[in-house]
Amino acid sequence: MLVPTARGGTPITTGPSERDADGRSPNPRERDAAGRPPTPRERDAAGRPLNARPRDGLGRPLPRGAEGGVPRTPEGLALPPLDSLAEAQRLLDTGRPFHAHEILEGTWKAAPTGERDLWQGLAQLAVGLTHLLRGNPVGAATVLRRGRDRVARYAGEDPYGVDVAGLVRWADALLADPGRDPATPALRHT
């Protein structure tokens, strides 16, 4: 058996085997400032990961216990369609597209089959805007294109007053010129 060694032949050890709640060994290179393994991720009763860390206005995680994070969307929140659109628009209007995406995602996951692409597309448009505002034009283009294509399938229907044509135009303008200042999209006809 080969044992990794440092210069001079001293065996490298990572200490006693530490395992998380799922029985996985943490990556020995991932240590906090005190040399401890990372804190295990919070999980619900079914073992699904929770997003309990505070976040900034664009949804980036802040250190655990950090002050100044923005209020989070409760896990599993699924608002009725018109309430979801109103809350997502409020969040978009205040520069919080990541949080708008969380609202739309909850409605998408609870939507009937025939509406799921609409809600997923709306959530993807919000994520695309998030990537653009975070300075990731490549990621923004990928997700904006997916969201645009999903929403475009509802052209002429405008369910719940969603401005499908306006959102497609908005996404197309950003895709054509990702360096432009992204105006806040209007989710519904005004």
Side-chain angles (χ1 to χ4, degrees):
M1 176 174 125
L2 294 175
V3 176
T5 58
R7 284 188 179 206
T10 307
I12 297 173
T13 61
T14 59
S17 177
E18 299 164 342
R19 301 212 176 263
D20 66 14
D22 296 326
R24 295 184 298 251
S25 285
N27 181 338
R29 289 180 216 97
E30 294 178 12
R31 300 286 174 162
D32 67 13
R36 295 180 300 250
T39 304
R41 188 164 183 187
E42 295 89 353
R43 297 189 179 271
D44 67 12
R48 291 183 299 266
L50 297 173
N51 294 314
R53 286 176 62 183
R55 300 220 177 226
D56 71 6
L58 289 177
R60 292 175 289 231
L62 298 172
R64 292 184 195 313
E67 297 292 325
V70 299
R72 297 294 310 275
T73 302
E75 290 285 333
L77 178 66
L79 296 174
L82 292 176
D83 293 343
S84 178
L85 290 166
E87 180 61 8
Q89 188 67 62
R90 184 188 72 77
L91 291 164
L92 288 168
D93 291 344
T94 58
R96 295 174 50 200
F98 175 82
H99 303 281
H101 133 267
E102 288 185 323
I103 293 293
L104 295 164
E105 184 178 60
T107 305
W108 153 37
K109 291 180 177 182
T113 304
E115 295 180 10
R116 290 180 67 90
D117 275 344
L118 172 70
W119 294 103
Q120 184 177 12
L122 291 170
Q124 287 174 320
L125 292 176
V127 170
L129 179 56
T130 300
H131 281 292
L132 197 60
L133 294 173
R134 287 179 179 176
N136 178 7
V138 174
T142 299
V143 183
L144 283 169
R145 194 170 294 108
R146 287 180 193 154
R148 178 229 180 269
D149 292 348
R150 279 196 168 89
V151 169
R153 296 174 192 160
Y154 295 86
E157 295 177 38
D158 293 357
Y160 304 104
V162 171
D163 185 1
V164 171
L167 289 169
V168 168
R169 281 192 305 275
W170 174 82
D172 285 344
L174 287 178
L175 289 166
D177 183 7
R180 72 182 292 160
D181 184 24
T184 301
L187 298 177
R188 298 184 72 212
H189 292 284
T190 54

